Amino acid sequence: MARIPGAVNSPVRAWRAVGGAPVFIAKGTGAYLVDADGNRLIDYVGSYGPAILGHAHPEIVAAVAEQARRGFSFGAPTELEVELAERIAGAIPAAEKVRLVSSGTEAGMTALRIARAATGRPGIMKFDGCYHGHSDALLVRAGSGAMTLGVPDCAGVPEALAALTRVAPYNALEAVERYFAADPKGVAAVIVEPLAANMGVVPPAAGFLKQLGELAHRHGALLICDEVISGFRLRYGAAYELFDVQPDIIMLGKIIGGGMPMGAVAGRAELMDLLAPTGPVYQAGTLSGNPLSVRAGIETLKLLDRPGVYERLEQAGARLESGLRAALAAAGRTGCVNRAGSLLTMFLGTDRVFDGESARRADAAAFARFFHGMFDRGVNLPPSQFEAMFVSLAHSDADLDATVAAARGALAAG
Ligand SMILES: *Cc1c(COP(=O)(O)O)cnc(C)c1O
């Protein structure tokens, strides 16, 4: 443990926000995790998104094992990569061409580089509370002023770089309009999570994305939809289609890798052809499109592309949502549940969350008590008020009802 900073290889896994030391996981099967002490937990972390089929789905395990016997990676193209790109393009109209990478962070870095090359402009606009990976340009959020100059959110990011990123409140266009008015030819791209899920779940307001896309395009900027969480989560394809908006570039990850390292940047053909070797935008990866990740992704998408899958995810999400609302009411607690399909967040201590600022009004101390109350009752939640709970196809109604019973107990206990 002393050999790993904070004992974690990604900071969201630490229990800093809720107190205590994270448990080590021995294995996961279906809707459950078993920790190193042998305790079984109903899991709502789901690897932060990829585990939509549940953990260690037998068909994925068999496919990856079979693929492993054929070799792990070759530094040369494989037909599997073509198959995955075809599947993605077939499900997502904006994905005319697809470049596979190994993480959502890489997809974000590459999306920005393409946008800057295509427009010849340096500026980026993002939204407070949206996460797009940990690259320098995207780890920035505004201070209190809506349209302040970008200030680095993270030590080690040069101010000169951060200053190119402007941050606006989610679900509002005033700040976006103001920034475009001040610098009409400076913005290469606006990047947004069409369903925000990294400040807790915050669905887009009616018309927000459509108007945002129109505003960006009117000013010659590209629209990048970050679908790393939302892609294949709400429907078989991208979430942007639900909101009547036309992105130029999209980012994917998580589900399309079936639990293996994966990301993708995709978009209009002429933009994607700016990438090397056809174009001048350099991007590369030793393990990009490796057969194990790609096979896991293909098999996951095949299983998702079946009748009833997204209906079941919606039904499971709704069951949990109504149970949690009833648990809040029964305990006489203030709170709200934001949900889209199988993603949801219960915010405590506030009755409405629609952007980063309103999310930060939630009672993080109350959430910390709730998290531990749930853990003690056998339910593994993400260890932060500002994350989504991920429901999978492996969660049975009995699992969901047991979760609600645990929530009743945890909320009543304070
Ligand atoms: C997880 C996530 C990323 C980053 O993906 P990694 O694979 O962790 O680098 C980017 N955007 C969104 C919306 C995400 O949820």
Side-chain angles (χ1 to χ4, degrees), residues 48 102-106 131-134 193 198 226-230 251 253-254 262:
Y48 288 94
S102 294
S103 67
T105 293
E106 286 174 75
Y131 178 66
H132 306 294
H134 65 283
E193 284 180 79
N198 282 289
D226 180 348
E227 300 256 5
V228 171
I229 278 191
S230 56
M251 294 151 58
K254 295 187 173 134
M262 177 72 87

Side-chain angles (χ1 to χ4, degrees), residues 128 140-151 153 167 169 357 360:
D128 178 21
V140 186
R141 91 180 166 205
S144 47
M147 267 303 110
T148 50
L149 278 185
V151 172
D153 221 14
V167 185
E357 202 173 309
R360 286 189 287 273

